[in-house]
Amino acid sequence: MASPQKRSWFRYENGVVLMMFFTFGFVFMERLSIVYLFPFIAPDLKLNNAEIGMIASVLAVCWAVSGFIFGSISDLVGSRKKVLLPITLAFSLFSFLSGLARSFWQMILVRGLMGVAEGPVLPLAQASVIAASTPERRGFNLGFVQSSLGLIGSFLTPIIVTQIAVHYSWHEAFYLVGVPGLVMFFVLLKWMREPGRGTAQEAEAVEHTKVRLADIGAVFRHRNMWFCVLIAIFSMTWLFAFTTFAPTFLTEVSHYSPDEMGLIMSAVGLGTFVWGFVGPAISDRLGRKPTLILFAFIACLSPICLALLRAPVGIMMVVAFLTTVGQAVFPLFLVIIPGESLPYRLVASAVGLTQFIGELVGGTFAPWLGGVAADHWGLVAPMWIAAAGMLVSALLAFGLKETAPAKVGRGALEAQEIVTTA
């Protein structure tokens, strides 16, 4: 007979966290693969820096619109799985099509369609995790899911795709990164269940309340939502200005080889993985607001250090790991604070809205602006744009109201939910 500890480990809470960890991680493997491949793609397709930024931007704007629309649809129909399954299959197929692109406009089209497919993954995945999470583990669970961006998207992806591109071609790299998403489609098909159909806790989280279209307006009536949206805009400016141009900066300005660039960017990814769940776990005890402020200030250093330092690869990897703590911030303003500020049944809409505006402004305009600035003032310009974005995020975080159960108490959060939906 299994021990209580083993029975506890194999509960659905842990299962859904792992499923969503890998699903979201493979989404970012496919999304970020192109930025590590730009040094190979740009000469082949004859792209300038502005066109590189446009390719990143079109995915971001499609991701933003799709995330909000399909996140709200999943709230209205009361199903996460029915929406998540087809989009998981779709974004994997669009990765294969990225490898077939032979021109700038073909790449724009394919990456835009990929953004439509990938946008809803985060709202749906995190809404499913919230429903299955115990309050004392909520921050860790949500942060762990988003930390997959670091381990899979930023740590493993640059090593894998640059090695394939060096030894074969960038086309084959896109074909390979499309495979894991197909695997996750079948995993979710077999083991994912709708929130509320398992434990009594999940059923209580869902509240057995069907969302009406008018209810979604409640998302706009909470102060924390407005601050989270503003923080999302500037944090995503940091993220996409940095990740879009850092690989090209390292090869063209700092003169690292593609292999060395891949190692440095993998250290960035390892840092985002570790800090991505350490930060939210700290916030379970320290509080969401002070944790967000602290890590946002530290994250300003990552693009600054990249812009100013030219050191041996090993030193650059250590600096990259220690300063790339921005991923600790993202679960807090994207999911955890909105999820604790609103009832569960509106979480996908709240996360989708924050992601929508953040991606639409920060994710869309930052790569384009960074590309234009790079063409005029050099590739160092996007690094300073990124640093400024996270600095503004840190300052905005002072306007948030604390939501961590350990700090405000579960009763206070429940009363806050009643006021929000009244």
Side-chain angles (χ1 to χ4, degrees):
M1 184 174 178
S3 67
Q5 289 81 3
K6 287 185 177 180
R7 287 200 301 271
S8 175
W9 166 251
F10 286 106
R11 64 188 184 273
Y12 184 70
E13 177 180 1
N14 291 329
V16 72
V17 167
L18 288 175
M19 284 189 287
M20 299 309 158
F21 174 88
F22 286 106
T23 300
F24 188 63
F26 293 140
V27 162
F28 261 85
M29 170 178 273
E30 295 175 12
R31 178 172 185 172
L32 294 180
S33 59
I34 195 168
V35 304
Y36 307 120
L37 294 172
F38 273 140
F40 305 92
I41 297 172
D44 196 7
L45 300 187
K46 298 178 174 58
L47 305 176
N48 58 34
N49 289 317
E51 288 171 332
I52 289 174
M54 287 175 64
I55 291 172
S57 294
V58 72
L59 187 148
V61 69
C62 293
W63 176 300
V65 175
S66 176
F68 180 57
I69 290 175
F70 285 100
S72 297
I73 288 173
S74 77
D75 282 342
L76 292 170
V77 302
S79 174
R80 314 300 187 200
K81 185 173 181 178
K82 289 178 181 177
V83 181
L84 189 57
L85 279 175
I87 62 176
T88 302
L89 180 62
F91 72 67
S92 302
L93 296 178
F94 287 127
S95 180
F96 290 104
L97 292 178
S98 298
L100 297 175
R102 293 297 186 272
S103 71
F104 167 70
W105 290 109
Q106 288 179 4
M107 189 66 79
I108 282 280
L109 175 62
V110 172
R111 302 306 285 186
L113 292 172
M114 175 175 280
V116 172
E118 291 180 341
V121 172
L122 179 64
L124 298 177
Q126 296 290 50
S128 300
V129 171
I130 285 176
S133 294
T134 51
E136 61 272 13
R137 275 190 52 188
R138 187 182 295 143
F140 173 82
N141 287 349
L142 296 171
F144 184 73
V145 168
Q146 282 190 245
S147 72
S148 62
L149 182 161
L151 181 64
I152 300 175
S154 300
F155 175 61
L156 295 177
T157 301
I159 297 175
I160 293 170
V161 300
T162 55
Q163 289 299 315
I164 295 173
V166 167
H167 293 94
Y168 299 97
S169 78
W170 60 267
H171 305 282
E172 279 74 10
F174 279 125
Y175 302 149
L176 179 67
V177 298
V179 173
L182 295 178
V183 174
M184 288 311 303
F185 169 79
F186 292 104
V187 171
L188 295 172
L189 180 65
K190 182 171 178 61
W191 283 292
M192 183 184 177
R193 68 185 185 217
E194 294 292 355
R197 296 183 184 176
T199 64
Q201 174 205 334
E202 291 175 47
E204 182 182 356
V206 177
E207 302 178 59
H208 297 296
T209 305
K210 198 133 188 183
V211 175
R212 299 166 300 170
L213 190 59
D215 292 335
I216 296 178
V219 173
F220 298 91
R221 296 200 295 268
H222 199 285
R223 168 181 170 172
N224 273 356
M225 283 302 305
W226 291 104
F227 276 98
C228 285
V229 164
L230 291 172
I231 292 168
I233 291 171
F234 290 100
S235 293
M236 290 189 184
T237 296
W238 169 85
L239 175 65
F240 293 112
F242 181 66
T243 57
T244 301
F245 293 98
T248 306
F249 179 90
L250 287 169
T251 55
E252 293 190 9
V253 178
S254 298
H255 302 295
Y256 292 100
S257 69
D259 287 344
E260 291 172 332
M261 177 272 289
L263 291 172
I264 295 170
M265 293 307 297
S266 71
V268 170
L270 183 61
T272 59
F273 166 63
V274 173
W275 300 115
F277 65 84
V278 169
I282 291 172
S283 78
D284 282 335
R285 301 184 182 279
L286 183 64
R288 314 302 188 201
K289 180 176 176 177
T291 304
L292 199 160
I293 293 170
L294 172 64
F295 281 90
F297 274 123
I298 297 174
C300 296
L301 298 175
S302 55
I304 293 174
C305 289
L306 195 70
L308 299 180
L309 291 180
R310 178 66 173 89
V313 173
I315 294 176
M316 292 297 291
M317 291 176 68
V318 172
V319 171
F321 174 82
L322 293 176
T323 59
T324 312
V325 299
Q327 190 54 35
V329 172
F330 277 72
L332 295 173
F333 71 75
L334 267 180
V335 182
I336 298 173
I337 295 174
E340 291 174 337
S341 301
L342 294 163
Y344 165 78
R345 65 183 184 272
L346 295 175
V347 168
S349 296
V351 176
L353 173 68
T354 309
Q355 176 182 273
F356 167 62
I357 300 179
E359 288 267 3
L360 191 64
V361 182
T364 302
F365 287 103
W368 172 80
L369 179 63
V372 172
D375 284 334
H376 283 81
W377 297 291
L379 282 164
V380 71
M383 301 301 103
W384 292 108
I385 291 172
M390 191 55 83
L391 176 62
V392 175
S393 296
L395 297 175
L396 285 169
F398 283 96
L400 290 167
K401 288 185 176 180
E402 184 60 65
T403 63
K407 290 294 181 181
V408 302
R410 189 181 303 182
L413 287 177
E414 290 173 352
Q416 179 174 281
E417 290 184 354
I418 293 172
V419 171
T420 302
T421 56

